[in-house]
Amino acid sequence: MDGGRRLQEPSPGAGGTYGAGRAEPGPPGAPLRKALTVLEALAEASRPLTLSELARLVNLPKSSLHRMLRVLTDLGLTVRMESKSYELGAGLLRLAAAGAPARTQRLGYAVTPFLIELFQRTRRIVSLGTLSGTNVRHVGTLYGREHTGLAMALRQPVPAHCSAAGRLLLATAMRDPAHCTEAGAPGLTPADTDSMRRDFERIRRTGLSYARSAHIPGLVELAALVRLGRTGTVAAVVVADNVHNTDLRDAGQALLNTATAIEQGLTDTP
């Protein structure tokens, strides 16, 4: 004895098992890999998934999956709905926020040629927005002299629920706008949440988000979803103008065409 507590080392049995009837430990990182597989399945689903549906997709026993989902839900990475189904939680938005500014800037450089063409076609404010926690950050902003004030305001982080671009990205990131409050979005009333829920449904149906900014006075936005490069990073291509000048919805087709061109042009971008 060495005076301390001696740990008894397990003796490997046949086939690398430890002791009678004990299974060999899985490969390093196996629990984390399984959790990431679950999160990916929820991200790719078009609706919340039940425990049974998710178990079939990720090929895990329901008992093991249920334990994992309890942990993921405690961390805010998943949400258990009243229907006992699951979807992604707002915790992922907080995790994504840390590296967002630099990543958004790089994306802005890549899409600038497409934004220039869109600006030439619309002669309005154009930009690229990505979600950073519960804010939207805009880069690559192009504008004419008459839009200087609005464009300068748009360059600052904007609460996502207050803008068309933000609502578009939130509708893509989460099914239930009530989770915006969990992610730290301030001042959302039950009426605001109900309005956003209807807006989310309309956005998913049309692929476009149209709204007067509740954060920048006088600004109205039209936004279209775009996935950038092989990573599938989601962003919003935005056309904006003074709310008193014109109805932006006539720019919808040009905006959708630009989103398609960006996706095709950046297919091989990591």
Side-chain angles (χ1 to χ4, degrees):
M1 296 289 290
D2 57 6
R5 184 177 180 182
R6 184 176 179 180
L7 298 178
Q8 183 177 356
E9 296 182 1
S11 301
T17 57
Y18 289 84
R22 293 182 62 186
E24 183 181 18
L32 178 58
R33 292 176 187 273
K34 291 177 182 178
L36 290 175
T37 299
V38 170
L39 294 175
E40 287 174 354
L42 291 174
E44 293 171 358
S46 60
R47 57 175 177 80
L49 298 175
T50 65
L51 183 66
S52 297
E53 291 171 332
L54 191 53
R56 286 195 296 271
L57 282 174
V58 300
N59 194 29
L60 285 175
K62 288 200 292 185
S63 57
S64 301
L65 179 60
H66 187 259
R67 289 193 295 271
M68 182 185 297
L69 285 168
R70 287 180 60 184
V71 175
L72 292 174
T73 300
D74 286 344
L75 294 173
L77 301 180
T78 59
V79 174
R80 188 172 186 265
M81 315 293 287
E82 292 183 2
S83 60
K84 298 183 180 179
S85 55
Y86 293 85
E87 69 174 13
L88 289 181
L92 287 176
L93 300 181
R94 293 191 295 269
L95 289 176
R103 182 173 64 252
T104 301
Q105 194 66 49
R106 290 195 300 271
L107 293 174
Y109 296 146
V111 304
T112 293
F114 302 96
L115 295 180
I116 291 174
E117 183 177 352
L118 182 61
F119 173 72
Q120 291 172 338
R121 294 177 64 182
T122 63
R123 310 307 299 182
R124 292 159 174 159
I125 303 168
V126 300
S127 69
L128 181 77
T130 61
L131 203 57
S132 174
T134 57
N135 290 330
V136 172
R137 293 181 181 271
H138 290 263
V139 294
T141 307
L142 301 173
Y143 55 94
R145 184 179 303 173
E146 70 277 16
H147 292 130
T148 299
L150 291 174
M152 290 297 101
L154 196 63
R155 286 183 169 183
Q156 302 302 314
V158 177
H161 66 282
C162 294
S163 71
R167 291 191 174 209
L168 175 78
L169 295 169
L170 288 173
T172 305
M174 61 178 64
R175 305 290 310 177
D176 190 345
H179 301 159
C180 295
T181 303
E182 299 170 14
L188 282 179
T189 66
D192 293 331
T193 301
D194 288 341
S195 174
M196 285 180 64
R197 188 174 289 112
R198 293 190 296 270
D199 202 20
F200 281 15
E201 293 172 357
R202 183 166 52 251
I203 290 167
R204 296 188 188 107
R205 187 172 61 251
T206 65
L208 291 169
S209 177
Y210 177 81
R212 179 171 180 171
S213 174
H215 185 73
I216 302 174
L219 183 74
V220 63
E221 292 177 289
L222 184 66
L225 189 70
V226 60
R227 299 185 185 276
L228 304 171
R230 288 174 295 180
T231 61
T233 302
V234 175
V237 183
V238 180
V239 173
D241 204 339
N242 188 304
V243 70
H244 301 297
N245 285 352
T246 185
D247 188 340
L248 281 181
R249 283 172 285 199
D250 62 0
Q253 193 56 56
L255 196 57
L256 290 172
N257 291 343
T258 298
T260 300
I262 291 172
E263 290 185 350
Q264 293 175 346
L266 301 185
T267 297
D268 296 326
T269 301

